[in-house]
Amino acid sequence: MKGHLYRFTIEHIEDKQGNSLALSPLTFEARNHDDILNIVEVMKGKMALDETDATAFAVGLKLFGEVMLKNSKNELFKQFRPHLNNFMKELKKT
């Protein structure tokens, strides 16, 4: 598969009670047809979200969307695709 290759590292820093955690990070690589870093920068100025929320939203949406495209024959994704397409059209208008 062609596309940009990214490495993601997620560290669980503290639990919901605020206790520090010393767990191994989750690291994985994923390809995406879009430049996610550029999209994050664009999203920071597009929506009424703070920088952290805009970043999390953009990265999550791009990862989800790419998995959906890659697995387009999955029945669950087939049902959801029209909704995501409509959402993306509205997002691009902002």
Side-chain angles (χ1 to χ4, degrees), residues 1-84:
M1 177 183 191
K2 293 183 181 180
H4 304 269
L5 180 62
Y6 297 94
R7 177 175 297 123
F8 295 89
T9 301
I10 302 169
E11 297 180 55
H12 195 167
I13 299 169
E14 60 182 38
D15 65 17
K16 62 184 178 180
Q17 286 81 29
N19 301 311
S20 294
L21 300 172
L23 302 172
S24 296
L26 168 66
T27 300
F28 65 96
E29 293 181 356
R31 287 198 181 271
N32 198 285
H33 67 276
D34 286 322
D35 180 343
I36 293 175
L37 299 177
N38 182 60
I39 289 171
V40 165
E41 289 306 311
V42 169
M43 288 305 300
K44 287 179 184 176
K46 268 195 165 223
M47 300 177 67
L49 299 174
D50 66 32
E51 188 171 323
T52 299
D53 286 347
T55 299
F57 172 72
V59 171
L61 184 61
K62 292 311 302 174
L63 289 175
F64 176 68
E66 196 72 18
V67 169
M68 227 175 85
L69 285 172
K70 185 178 173 186
N71 297 279
S72 61
K73 293 180 181 175
N74 181 301
E75 190 57 38
L76 189 59
F77 292 145
K78 277 183 179 178
Q79 293 176 28
F80 188 72
R81 178 117 190 211
H83 303 287
L84 182 62

